[in-house]
Amino acid sequence: MTDESVPVPLTVKTSDLKVRTLSAVVMLLVAGGALWLGGIFLQAFIALVAIATLGEFVRLVWKASAKTLNRALSVLAGLLYISVAAVALASGGPSMVVILVGSVIAVDTFAYFSGRTFGGPKIAPRISPSKTWAGLIGGAFGASLFFVAMFQGVPAYQCWRYLQLPEDQTQFAFDGPCSYMPWAFNLTNVVQVLLVGLVVAVVAQCGDFFESWLKRKAGVKDSSNLIPGHGGVFDRTDGVLAVSFVVGIVMLTDRLI
């Protein structure tokens, strides 16, 4: 035995990168196709993702605890958690998916680069050693920029508006070319969008921490090996689930009130 590190062959690194890239392309094509088709196709895609996530959640619960009561209660809680998130995503059509998924992607992207650039104290090193406070702040800023871009409207894409439906039900919908008043840059709006960005970043990170904690309890690295090079579906949806769940609870509370 020696203390010298053994370098990883370049072919191993490259092969892993190729697999990850190919998997990412396939995921983007499938998700993008469902988003483009909308309607029942998008709802079916969301349902399939939710079912796959629930299956992986149950697998982790079974590995994390041997007690029947704990397993049963955890599965029921997971079913409620994932179902509410899926309904929230599906209820608003393509625009809701773009807003929720896009904001979480912005959080993850900015958090990654902020954490790598500034480093600093970890948020919860025992649960997720790579998450830093700098990353959280960067993620909040990224989500805020995403919302500003959505409010401003990007000419290459369609904009979103609220459709007022019967029985006072409201949902997002496509509204053709951008034509509404752009977002006004003033102190009130800046503070509001920063707060919303911070809330989204915190909730998304909580979803990530929850899955990381559950995987540690289960003693596994990934929720499954369903997606080559990326782990499981739950590994890809943890942040979106948390944000969508909160949105679903807000929507439900609004209807009840």
Side-chain angles (χ1 to χ4, degrees):
M1 293 287 292
T2 65
D3 294 332
E4 294 181 2
S5 60
V6 179
V8 178
L10 181 59
T11 54
V12 175
K13 295 180 181 179
T14 306
S15 61
D16 181 66
L17 178 60
K18 289 180 179 178
V19 170
R20 288 178 61 86
T21 302
L22 181 60
S23 297
V25 170
V26 173
M27 286 190 291
L28 285 173
L29 288 175
V30 173
L35 187 65
W36 178 262
L37 293 171
I40 191 172
F41 297 98
L42 180 59
Q43 292 179 356
F45 175 73
I46 293 173
L48 286 174
V49 172
I51 291 170
T53 301
L54 180 61
E56 294 179 356
F57 178 86
V58 172
R59 172 179 175 267
L60 292 177
V61 166
W62 241 248
K63 287 179 173 290
S65 176
K67 296 181 179 179
T68 303
L69 181 60
N70 288 351
R71 285 176 170 178
L73 292 176
S74 297
V75 169
L76 286 175
L79 178 61
L80 177 64
Y81 176 57
I82 295 169
S83 298
V84 170
V87 170
L89 268 174
S91 64
S95 54
M96 181 69 83
V97 176
V98 170
I99 290 170
L100 296 182
V101 176
S103 62
V104 174
I105 290 176
V107 169
D108 291 343
T109 303
F110 277 75
Y112 174 79
F113 286 107
S114 296
R116 296 268 297 185
T117 302
F118 300 105
K122 311 289 185 181
I123 300 176
R126 291 187 177 182
I127 299 175
S128 185
S130 63
K131 297 293 187 297
T132 64
W133 289 103
L136 177 61
I137 295 172
F141 182 69
S144 300
L145 287 180
F146 172 80
F147 289 128
V148 170
M150 292 297 295
F151 295 151
Q152 290 286 54
V154 182
Y157 299 92
Q158 290 179 305
C159 295
W160 328 99
R161 71 180 173 94
Y162 278 110
L163 278 184
Q164 195 66 34
L165 302 176
E167 301 179 1
D168 296 325
Q169 295 180 11
T170 303
Q171 71 174 27
F172 286 102
F174 282 112
D175 191 31
C178 300
S179 59
Y180 55 79
M181 184 179 296
W183 183 75
F185 187 85
N186 57 55
L187 181 60
T188 300
N189 286 346
V190 169
V191 171
Q192 287 178 344
V193 79
L194 287 175
L195 286 176
V196 172
L198 178 60
V199 170
V200 170
V202 170
V203 173
Q205 295 274 285
C206 286
D208 185 282
F209 280 128
F210 170 65
E211 199 227 359
S212 296
W213 171 80
L214 187 56
K215 287 191 294 186
R216 284 185 176 275
K217 292 282 288 184
V220 298
K221 180 179 180 293
D222 299 315
S223 58
S224 78
N225 59 356
L226 186 63
I227 308 173
H230 291 268
V233 177
F234 196 12
D235 294 318
R236 304 273 68 81
T237 61
D238 49 7
V240 174
L241 271 178
V243 174
S244 300
F245 175 77
V246 171
V247 170
I249 293 299
V250 171
M251 293 169 61
L252 180 62
T253 303
D254 183 61
R255 291 193 178 186
L256 291 176
I257 293 177

